[in-house]
Amino acid sequence: MVIVMRPGTEQREIDKLVAQFQLQGLQVGITNGVDCTILGLVGDTTAVDINKISTNKQVERVMRVSEPYKRANRKFHPEDTVVKVGSASIGGGNFSVIAGPCSVESEKQIVEVARDVQASGAALLRGGAFKPRTSPYSFQGMGTPGLDLLLEAKAATGMPIVTELMSPKYCQLFEDKVDVIQIGARNMQNFDLLKEVGKLSKPILLKRGLSSSYEEWIMSAEYIMSEGNENVILCERGIRTFETYTRNTLDVSAIPAVKRMSHLPVVVDPSHSAGMYWMVEPLALAAVAAGADGLLIEVHNDPANAKCDGQQSLTPEHFKTLMDKVSALVDLAGKRMVK
């Protein structure tokens, strides 16, 4: 971090600021220019509040020369993080597919879909027990009974389950019953929730917010990791743009960009990206080609009568066709398909 002092700042004011930074465990390099003095901070500046420094009347400008995230930064962790869930692995050359319905609707539905996606090569089962919806009148999920049905599907297939957590009050319940805890796009910057799941032991699948930059997304992962939970999976699920043809716009460039910035695995949700079932396959294949570590795909045994997002769900038959293509492309990319 670099701090430029205003011209004519007295030495005692500079010394006071230097002492403040040294108390924070930082080394301070001082460069005396013709018109101003420049302070260079060396060390972990994560906790340094730029806004607070800027209120100092003797400070002209404050600039970061490195990213504000440390734990998620590839510079400090060159090797890919591999998140292990049961026998499945995501990242570090391992490719896993998470599949299942948008929401859990019945025991028959979730168990049937679980068996179908497992037979086609999915490694983890997804399903929403609690559903954040734009309209308060839309189906909000079955709640805790839906979670119990997911556990029945897990018992029937052995597949680890992935489901979304919306409230800190359910943290212990999810810690006890869920294998991967999903934080949805709308909660990506719910910092109280992020800090609470950071205290849990289960892997966290963090979806990118509707209009979030790469840095904001990684900083949300940093919130989780700063509390001790380093098993974070990033999920690109499309962002809001000016285009209205699709539900969202899949940012394929986020995959190589974020993998360059961070060591965390990146998976892609092509179902929510477009919001149309017929676009899921080309977007999924594009994600694999761009270097994704996995896919999150919605599959329903009766999309026409689904209670949630049936228009973007694949049938089990279409999912099997897609998986054959994904598997071939994963092999071509030199990664290992985890089943």
Side-chain angles (χ1 to χ4, degrees):
M1 181 178 289
V2 174
I3 300 171
V4 181
M5 306 301 294
R6 290 187 182 278
T9 300
E10 295 182 6
Q11 187 60 45
R12 61 186 178 85
E13 295 294 337
I14 295 173
D15 293 341
K16 188 188 301 183
L17 201 55
V18 168
Q20 176 185 322
F21 294 131
Q22 289 174 337
L23 285 174
Q24 293 179 270
L26 301 171
Q27 298 176 27
V28 184
I30 303 175
T31 303
N32 293 305
V34 176
D35 297 318
C36 65
T37 297
I38 299 173
L39 307 183
L41 307 188
V42 179
D44 185 357
T45 60
T46 306
V48 177
D49 189 338
I50 287 182
N51 294 325
K52 187 174 181 179
I53 298 170
S54 299
T55 61
N56 188 319
K57 295 180 180 179
Q58 307 302 327
V59 172
E60 178 75 29
R61 192 161 33 130
V62 184
M63 299 171 288
R64 284 195 184 275
V65 294
S66 64
E67 298 83 5
Y69 49 92
K70 304 298 180 186
R71 291 170 176 82
N73 199 323
R74 187 174 285 280
K75 291 178 182 177
F76 303 102
H77 192 300
E79 299 299 319
D80 289 343
T81 284
V82 178
V83 176
K84 296 183 178 180
V85 189
S87 60
S89 297
I90 303 174
N94 300 292
F95 190 96
S96 294
V97 174
I98 305 165
C102 176
S103 61
V104 180
E105 298 170 6
S106 69
E107 179 184 357
K108 181 177 184 297
Q109 172 240 19
I110 191 62
V111 173
E112 185 176 306
V113 172
R115 286 178 171 147
D116 284 336
V117 298
Q118 183 181 47
S120 296
L124 299 97
L125 174 67
R126 65 143 292 152
F130 299 85
K131 296 298 301 178
R133 305 300 302 279
T134 301
S135 170
Y137 309 111
S138 298
F139 177 60
Q140 306 289 314
M142 295 179 67
T144 51
L147 201 56
D148 293 333
L149 294 182
L150 278 170
L151 289 172
E152 290 189 29
K154 177 182 178 180
T157 62
M159 298 178 76
I161 56 175
V162 183
T163 194
E164 183 170 350
L165 173 65
M166 294 168 52
S167 170
K169 71 180 180 180
Y170 292 116
C171 277
Q172 190 56 52
L173 178 68
F174 275 58
E175 171 81 339
D176 295 339
K177 296 187 175 185
V178 176
D179 297 293
V180 178
I181 300 171
Q182 176 181 310
I183 300 297
R186 292 171 178 82
N187 276 315
M188 190 207 81
Q189 289 187 311
N190 182 342
F191 300 123
D192 286 341
L193 180 59
L194 298 181
K195 286 187 282 189
E196 288 304 309
V197 298
K199 299 171 185 175
L200 304 180
S201 65
K202 299 298 176 68
I204 309 299
L205 189 146
L206 179 65
K207 286 199 167 187
R208 183 182 178 187
L210 299 175
S211 304
S212 299
S213 67
Y214 300 157
E215 184 171 292
E216 288 170 336
W217 185 17
I218 297 173
M219 283 299 290
S220 288
E222 190 81 3
Y223 260 92
I224 298 169
M225 298 173 77
S226 69
E227 294 292 335
N229 189 343
E230 307 233 333
N231 289 312
V232 180
I233 304 162
L234 300 173
C235 180
E236 161 62 33
R237 43 81 72 201
I239 54 174
R240 181 170 291 167
T241 67
F242 57 83
E243 182 52 66
T244 58
Y245 185 84
T246 53
R247 180 176 181 177
N248 298 292
T249 299
L250 180 63
D251 183 5
V252 178
S253 63
I255 303 164
V258 171
K259 287 177 73 68
R260 184 182 180 90
M261 298 165 72
S262 175
H263 55 87
L264 299 174
V266 179
V267 303
V268 171
D269 177 353
S271 302
H272 279 90
S273 299
M276 294 177 277
Y277 76 91
W278 58 270
M279 290 189 74
V280 171
E281 181 175 307
L283 293 179
L285 296 177
V288 177
D293 298 301
L295 295 168
L296 182 68
I297 298 177
E298 291 192 356
V299 181
H300 197 288
N301 51 0
D302 186 12
N305 293 301
K307 292 185 177 181
C308 178
D309 289 344
Q311 73 281 3
Q312 67 192 33
S313 299
L314 300 185
T315 62
E317 295 75 22
H318 191 176
F319 178 69
K320 184 181 186 310
T321 300
L322 170 59
M323 286 296 287
D324 290 341
K325 296 178 181 179
V326 167
S327 183
L329 195 53
V330 167
D331 287 342
L332 188 63
K335 292 188 176 181
R336 183 177 72 91
M337 188 81 171
V338 179
K339 299 180 181 180

